[in-house]
Amino acid sequence: MENNMIYMRDIVKSYKIGKNKLTVLKEVSLEIKAGEFVAILGPSGSGKSTLMNIIGCIDVADSGEYILKGENIKARNEDELAHVRNREIGFVFQKFNLLPKYKAIHNVAFPLLLRGLGKEQAYKKATRLLERVGLSDRMNHKPLELSGGEQQRVSIARALSGGPSILLADEPTGSLDSKSGSEIIEMFLALNHEGNTIVLITHDLNVAKQAKRIIHVRDGKVLEQ
């Protein structure tokens, strides 16, 4: 497990639907090292979204072992899981999840203010992050005044704001045209080159091929790494 950012062994996750039990993940095992750029690839219903939720500490497995950066996630209660999410995971969503009434810089500064950073420091850091993703001239625009690609860049800047151990991107190009999608993937490649660990969830093989390694998920199982 040395140098592993993520270590999973025999992860099982089921849901009750009425009187029936649906097993979504079936003894999944995988390892992701610090600094890797990994795509988790699978069709709709394969279990990849459930796997993402467990990686991101949004949900917990029924059984099996999950070690995230040396921490045993199975042993954590809900408050501790929230703390791990806040500290270790930077989320990037398909639909951006930006606050529509607030400018880009406010969207990036907001989680920093929630973490207790002073206002001046928060806005200085938000400015640096937006410059880093190429939006130095778009900071004072609201989401609806930005293109889809620009909104996703704001989302990436926000995800980076807490200095997370992992960037967890759920179909980050799914709402974008091919040109904007390619630019977002280039940004992930650059961030990975800087040392960021990136886990990208996708159903698109062409997107997955941009990662350094592909983990295939089908019918609740990891087929190959």
Side-chain angles (χ1 to χ4, degrees):
M1 289 195 294
E2 191 176 339
N3 197 35
N4 278 333
M5 182 67 71
I6 291 168
Y7 174 88
M8 287 185 166
R9 190 62 63 214
D10 297 331
I11 291 289
V12 175
K13 182 65 183 179
S14 301
Y15 296 100
K16 284 196 79 173
I17 301 173
K19 293 182 179 179
N20 299 317
K21 187 168 97 168
L22 177 66
T23 302
V24 181
L25 294 178
K26 304 165 185 173
E27 297 184 345
V28 165
S29 297
L30 62 87
E31 297 175 23
I32 297 173
K33 296 191 182 304
E36 277 202 281
F37 181 5
V38 174
I40 294 178
L41 175 68
S44 179
S46 61
K48 69 181 186 299
S49 294
T50 300
L51 181 57
M52 182 201 77
N53 288 341
I54 291 174
I55 289 172
C57 302
I58 295 167
D59 205 350
V60 291
D62 299 336
S63 61
E65 187 178 19
Y66 177 24
I67 308 295
L68 172 61
K69 203 181 173 186
E71 288 191 61
N72 183 354
I73 298 304
K74 194 83 168 67
R76 299 288 180 256
N77 62 35
E78 191 54 48
D79 287 344
E80 290 168 334
L81 285 174
H83 182 65
V84 171
R85 279 196 303 273
N86 194 36
R87 190 180 73 240
E88 304 293 357
I89 313 288
F91 292 96
V92 179
F93 300 100
Q94 179 178 349
K95 299 292 187 184
F96 321 131
N97 289 17
L98 299 174
L99 299 166
K101 293 181 180 179
Y102 294 92
K103 296 174 183 178
I105 192 161
H106 301 323
N107 268 279
V108 179
F110 190 62
L112 293 167
L113 295 168
L114 286 179
R115 288 185 175 97
L117 205 62
K119 189 174 180 180
E120 186 179 351
Q121 285 177 295
Y123 279 92
K124 274 186 180 176
K125 186 168 186 180
T127 299
R128 286 199 305 272
L129 288 165
L130 286 166
E131 287 171 349
R132 186 177 177 187
V133 298
L135 290 178
S136 55
D137 59 341
R138 309 292 277 168
M139 294 187 194
N140 292 310
H141 289 68
K142 293 178 181 178
L144 291 179
E145 298 167 344
L146 301 171
S147 70
E150 287 170 338
Q151 289 185 65
Q152 193 60 291
R153 286 169 185 260
V154 176
S155 174
I156 291 169
R158 180 186 58 191
L160 290 167
S161 66
S165 301
I166 299 167
L167 276 180
L168 187 56
D170 181 17
E171 301 279 7
T173 63
S175 296
L176 304 177
D177 60 53
S178 57
K179 181 176 181 292
S180 298
S182 295
E183 289 170 354
I184 292 302
I185 293 300
E186 285 296 323
M187 180 153 292
F188 281 125
L189 286 165
L191 290 167
N192 177 243
H193 186 69
E194 291 171 15
N196 291 279
T197 306
I198 298 169
V199 179
L200 187 153
I201 317 296
T202 185
H203 69 279
D204 187 333
L205 179 58
N206 289 325
V207 171
K209 281 178 177 176
Q210 306 307 309
K212 306 292 174 66
R213 182 160 66 99
I214 300 175
I215 295 172
H216 295 263
V217 181
R218 188 176 292 274
D219 298 327
K221 294 185 176 181
V222 169
L223 297 183
E224 61 179 273
Q225 295 191 41

